[in-house]
Amino acid sequence: MDYSNIEAAEKGIIIKDVKNFELDHIFQCGQCFRWDKVSENKYIGAAFGRIIGVEKSGGDVVLHNCNEEDFYRIWENYFDLGTDYSMIKEKLSTDPLLKKSVDFGRGIRILRQEPFEIVISFITSANNRIPMIKRAIDKISRKWGSALEYEGRTYYAFPTPEMLKDASEEELEACGLGFRAKYVKDTVDKINRSLKGQEGYEEYNIYKIAEMDDDGCHEALQRFNGIGPKVADCIMLFSMGKISAFPVDVWVKRAMMHFYLAPDVSLKKIRDFGREKFGRESGYAQQYLFYYARENNIQVE
Ligand code: 8HG
């Protein structure tokens, strides 16, 4: 566990003695799209139908607009506070090449996000850039999500499958999804049918998929149009607790080539190599590498 206890504060709670928790590392390492930096020590973001402010204060973390009940129901798990990241980092740092990335992103935690939001977000991520993905997800939330008030401003939660059920391909395209709009529409439709128990759609229940073992989950997600191996890896790692996932995008590819591999290697081979090398907890290694490569803009000759 990476904190000692929580205390009540005015309109929020204080998480005491939090280890391995850096706001920039967590929110800018590529795993989430709904958090904004509002000052040096504070981010505001929406998840699980709530809006909160997260502030670092010495060794503590303050969650604004949050009560004790929400902390134990949502945020303790969301921030993966039950996991001891010192142990993970120690293990990964025995590889001297990986240690550099681990030291750089020492405050990363893998967020446990809502599966439906993450399925749609990472379908949107295909051949896309992070600022564009963020903008599209924001537009979808404004158009179909519930309004949330915080400090006199209005924010929007990411919509549920039910709220998105009538979104047309044209409307989704207008949110900046481009060619991905048809995949999002089709996926929303399949998920809604499966959640209603419609015959023939059982295999599209993402909450059941989340309970499968890692390899089964990776395979099942790829039954949706618009989800290939890379997107499936991101979804299972960022919302289904499958930490052996190893998403290989252009940054992880560059990092792996920079540190370990010859240039002309396929994405599939890089994935297999990474999982072989880093084992059951490959997802963590991948996140330190992604953050290091992207922040340092590493290039491979
Ligand atoms: O955290 C991420 N890991 C990997 N491997 N790829 C990611 C992450 N986040 C993210 O957006 N991507 C993908 O990288 C989406 C997009 O294809 C590209 C943006 O740099």
Side-chain angles (χ1 to χ4, degrees):
M1 188 157 114
D2 271 358
Y3 74 103
S4 58
N5 60 295
I6 64 168
E7 285 175 5
E10 204 194 330
K11 294 186 197 155
I13 60 139
I14 304 170
I15 317 173
K16 302 294 290 181
D17 312 314
V18 185
K19 288 179 286 183
N20 308 308
F21 194 112
E22 292 299 333
L23 299 173
D24 293 339
H25 300 178
I26 293 170
F27 296 126
Q28 291 182 30
C29 74
Q31 62 180 328
C32 54
F33 305 106
R34 309 241 44 225
W35 290 90
D36 289 315
K37 187 166 183 158
V38 293
S39 68
E40 190 44 41
N41 290 319
K42 188 176 176 191
Y43 279 73
I44 293 179
F48 288 97
R50 292 276 190 276
I51 176 90
I52 61 165
V54 184
E55 187 176 10
K56 275 271 276 193
S57 168
D60 302 335
V61 173
V62 185
L63 301 188
H64 300 271
N65 203 28
C66 166
N67 57 30
E68 206 167 301
E69 188 192 333
D70 274 1
F71 174 75
Y72 289 118
R73 195 174 62 85
I74 303 171
W75 305 111
E76 183 187 33
N77 185 53
Y78 182 83
F79 287 107
D80 198 20
L81 288 168
T83 300
D84 178 353
Y85 278 72
S86 302
M87 234 163 70
I88 294 163
K89 292 193 305 185
E90 200 176 306
K91 209 163 137 189
L92 296 178
S93 296
T94 55
D95 174 343
L97 297 174
L98 188 56
K99 183 172 186 305
K100 202 167 166 179
S101 299
V102 172
D103 289 345
F104 183 79
R106 64 201 169 278
I108 286 177
R109 312 186 71 80
I110 302 281
L111 299 173
R112 294 171 171 262
Q113 303 178 78
E114 205 291 310
F116 177 66
E117 173 178 336
I118 293 306
V119 164
I120 303 304
S121 300
F122 279 91
I123 289 177
T124 303
S125 85
N127 291 316
N128 209 345
R129 291 162 33 81
I130 287 176
M132 307 297 287
I133 305 165
K134 247 188 116 178
R135 202 168 308 158
I137 299 306
D138 180 60
K139 283 191 177 159
I140 291 175
S141 302
R142 282 171 193 271
K143 192 163 170 68
W144 290 286
S146 313
L148 303 166
E149 304 296 327
Y150 174 54
E151 288 183 336
R153 285 190 54 185
T154 307
Y155 299 83
Y156 292 87
F158 189 81
T160 61
E162 174 66 24
M163 291 159 117
L164 265 185
K165 80 175 187 328
D166 295 323
S168 70
E169 194 178 322
E170 293 70 30
E171 288 174 309
L172 289 164
E173 224 177 288
C175 292
L177 291 187
F179 71 92
R180 306 163 200 89
K182 61 177 177 296
Y183 300 135
V184 169
K185 167 118 193 77
D186 185 54
T187 297
V188 169
D189 187 53
K190 283 175 171 150
I191 291 174
N192 273 314
R193 286 170 190 266
S194 76
L195 295 179
K196 286 196 191 97
Q198 192 171 326
E199 217 182 303
Y201 287 86
E202 296 83 359
E203 65 186 24
Y204 297 111
N205 185 328
I206 52 174
Y207 302 99
K208 293 254 168 68
I209 292 175
E211 288 166 12
M212 295 176 167
D213 66 27
D214 294 24
D215 289 336
C217 183
H218 192 241
E219 228 177 272
L221 284 169
Q222 292 179 63
R223 293 193 194 117
F224 291 97
N225 297 320
I227 301 186
K230 149 74 200 329
V231 168
D233 267 322
C234 287
I235 294 167
M236 64 194 258
L237 179 60
F238 302 139
S239 72
M240 298 179 173
K242 310 297 189 218
I243 55 175
S244 80
F246 197 79
V248 183
D249 75 306
V250 70
W251 292 114
V252 171
K253 181 178 180 209
R254 282 183 195 160
M256 292 300 282
M257 284 159 57
H258 177 75
F259 288 121
Y260 301 104
L261 290 165
D264 55 347
V265 179
S266 71
L267 296 187
K268 163 94 171 70
K269 283 210 173 117
I270 298 175
R271 180 178 197 267
D272 293 345
F273 179 88
R275 290 183 95 213
E276 179 78 17
K277 183 159 190 61
F278 305 123
R280 284 180 9 153
E281 295 163 344
S282 297
Y284 298 116
Q286 174 277 149
Q287 213 58 36
Y288 295 112
L289 289 169
F290 181 87
Y291 185 59
Y292 181 87
R294 186 162 174 266
E295 291 295 310
N296 295 294
N297 194 19
I298 68 164
Q299 305 290 334
V300 184
E301 304 83 59

